[in-house]
Amino acid sequence: MDRRAIGVFDSGMGGLTVLHECLVTLPHEDFVYLGDGARLPYGPRPLDEVRRFAREIAGFLERAGVKLVVAACNTATAAALPDLQRELSVPVVGVLAPEAHAAVLATRNRRVGLLATEATVASGRYADLVGTLDAGVEVTSVACPLLVPLIEGDDPFGEETTAAVREYAAPLKEVGVDTVILGCTHYPLVRPIFQRVFGRGVTLVFSAEETAREVAETLVRKGIENDGGREGRYRFLTTGDPELFREMGRRFLQLPIEAAEHVEVAALEAAA
């Protein structure tokens, strides 16, 4: 039995959709979530910069005593997962591999679409992962710079969001994909819009459930799971505005957020 918490991080609040599934799958575990609100969004940033941010946050969480780190950010996973796994003494789980695996299993015509941030698309990591699993699957990638600001805005289900989804979906529909990876943790919040635009004939893939399952399997494999008979706790840290995080975070977590603690960026930089 290992009473240490599991650390989860993202550039902001999108990773709370992953945390939600972890809380449901592992209700007996404790979690600490860190959202880097002061430096979001990560998507338009160079990969080297995102890699540095991810290393700082993961190092901070490791120093805080977590037993496993979840990179609940597609951009950070694409930029930094191998580095984190090499450098940290605790296991690190990302969100890309579970999505790639699910997409390969789901596709019938071997044409998969990817909608993600600019940095995630530029990394080419999804195509590499899918190709490793099935070299015959063709991946068409589209960067979606407008979606994160719209989803975090006042009207995530408004016409502006629908119009942006239609624009980004068009190249994927043109090549006839039957499976689409929602390659950003924000996107599932407006999943009904994606499904409406693509139709029921297209399978939408999002990794939260698969990632939570991988976390559970890793805990068992490493022998570091907590007592299954207890109810776990969770706490929140942010480099941004704690009150904004608390209010908007509930939209993504779909559970209460009583409070969020502020962390200075300098504290993260010192942990790298």
Side-chain angles (χ1 to χ4, degrees):
M1 186 170 64
D2 192 326
R3 297 184 182 276
R4 291 177 295 167
I6 296 166
V8 183
F9 78 88
D10 181 38
S11 59
M13 300 172 215
L16 292 169
T17 56
V18 176
L19 177 62
H20 175 91
E21 291 302 327
C22 288
L23 292 171
V24 171
T25 303
L26 299 160
H28 54 286
E29 295 287 351
D30 293 342
F31 290 86
V32 55
Y33 179 97
L34 196 157
D36 192 11
R39 300 186 290 194
L40 65 79
Y42 282 6
R45 293 181 180 273
L47 287 171
D48 285 347
E49 189 174 34
V50 175
R51 187 176 300 113
R52 175 168 60 85
F53 292 170
R55 293 172 67 189
E56 291 171 357
I57 296 171
F60 177 87
L61 291 172
E62 183 178 38
R63 287 190 183 186
V66 301
K67 62 185 177 183
L68 181 147
V69 171
V70 182
C73 172
N74 299 71
T75 304
T77 300
L81 185 62
D83 296 279
L84 300 183
Q85 291 174 332
R86 280 191 297 265
E87 295 170 8
L88 269 63
S89 61
V90 298
V92 184
V93 173
V95 291
L96 268 65
E99 285 179 330
H101 184 255
V104 168
L105 291 179
T107 184
R108 302 173 302 281
N109 67 6
R110 302 174 96 188
R111 294 181 191 141
V112 171
L114 168 66
L115 298 175
T117 66
E118 302 104 305
T120 298
V121 169
S123 76
R125 287 286 293 148
Y126 274 106
D128 291 343
L129 289 166
V130 169
T132 299
L133 296 165
D134 185 344
V137 174
E138 179 184 341
V139 179
T140 302
S141 303
V142 176
C144 310
L146 296 177
L147 287 184
V148 168
L150 287 170
I151 293 169
E152 288 196 352
D154 294 333
D155 189 13
F157 294 96
E159 180 54 39
E160 212 175 340
T161 305
T162 302
V165 170
R166 285 197 193 102
E167 177 186 339
Y168 297 139
L172 304 186
K173 295 170 80 171
E174 187 175 336
V175 298
V177 303
D178 72 350
T179 302
V180 174
I181 299 170
L182 301 182
C184 173
T185 51
H186 281 69
Y187 299 173
L189 196 71
V190 294
R191 182 170 183 160
I193 295 178
F194 285 104
Q195 202 71 74
R196 166 69 173 161
V197 169
F198 282 106
R200 286 291 181 194
V202 172
T203 301
L204 301 179
V205 171
F206 170 59
S207 71
E209 291 182 11
E210 291 84 358
T211 301
R213 191 176 303 116
E214 184 174 340
V215 170
E217 292 171 355
T218 302
L219 294 177
V220 172
R221 190 168 62 249
K222 300 290 186 180
I224 54 175
E225 68 269 37
N226 210 331
D227 179 3
R230 66 188 293 276
E231 182 175 347
R233 298 169 295 176
Y234 50 95
R235 58 190 284 251
F236 302 94
L237 310 174
T238 178
T239 57
D241 179 354
E243 186 58 27
L244 177 64
F245 182 96
R246 190 182 71 84
E247 287 298 323
M248 188 174 291
R250 290 184 293 187
R251 181 192 298 179
F252 290 87
L253 186 65
Q254 300 176 54
L255 288 168
I257 297 178
E258 299 300 330
E261 305 165 42
H262 181 73
V263 175
E264 295 290 344
V265 170
L268 304 184
E269 293 171 343

